[in-house]
Amino acid sequence: MGTFIVIEGIDGAGKSTQAKLLAEWFEKKGYEVVLTKEPTDTAFGKLIRRLVLTGGKEGIIDGARISHEAEALLFAADRAEHVHKLIKPSLEAGKVVISDRYFYSSLAYQWARGLDLEWLIDLNRFAIRPDLVILLDLPVKESMKRINGRSIKTEFDKIVELQKKVRENYLELAGRFPEIKIVNAMASVEDIHNDIVALVEHELFKK
Ligand code: TYD
């Protein structure tokens, strides 16, 4: 079996940058790495981007275009394809899988939308548990600054209140899921990467 690592955090936490750096770190050590993300680029992921993320004038905050439950089911369907078509076979082939977001995103975000956490956990029970989840944590004020510098924005990104709730949810989930380790995402890209590597070595290689 390979190694499964997930990077989580609010929008603008620096997940994709850190996922890429970690993938390169593993590659340099000679591992075969699969760098992936959710929502995926498959048909389900595309559907999510079309129905949920691109918003519309009404957006997803005030009167979602689809119900919150349907949204959660779409994310779960996308994840089921992700697990069965990519994550599981890659792990079985002994590879290192690094995913930018996973079911913890559904727990943090869809819970923030008012859905029942236990229902969300049940819905995602099929999802293979990762060996390590790195939660990039930072204040929303800081993440919003980073997002504003990005050219493409989603409806999600704009809403500070939701992000605050999502951050709180992630921190609460860290108390419930022992595989979640919190990393301070306020530091420089390099320092955060070094913290992540230290965690990986400590948690997975027991150095
Ligand atoms: P994001 O990682 O920002 O993707 P991209 O940069 O490609 O647009 O994810 C898009 C949004 O989807 C983000 O605000 C978090 C949200 N999301 C959920 O609400 N639930 C989920 O299960 C996942 C995977 C993402």
Side-chain angles (χ1 to χ4, degrees), residues 11 15 37-39 48-49 53 71 75-76 79 100-107 109-110 113 150 154 156-157 163:
D11 295 275
K15 292 178 298 302
K37 64 175 290 186
E38 289 189 5
I48 288 171
R49 280 172 217 290
L53 299 181
E71 189 181 305
F75 280 117
R79 185 162 303 123
D100 174 351
R101 295 194 184 281
Y102 194 47
F103 74 84
Y104 309 89
S105 283
S106 277
L107 305 189
Y109 284 79
Q110 276 60 66
R113 296 258 179 239
R150 272 194 215 159
T154 67
F156 274 97
D157 295 335
Q163 298 289 326

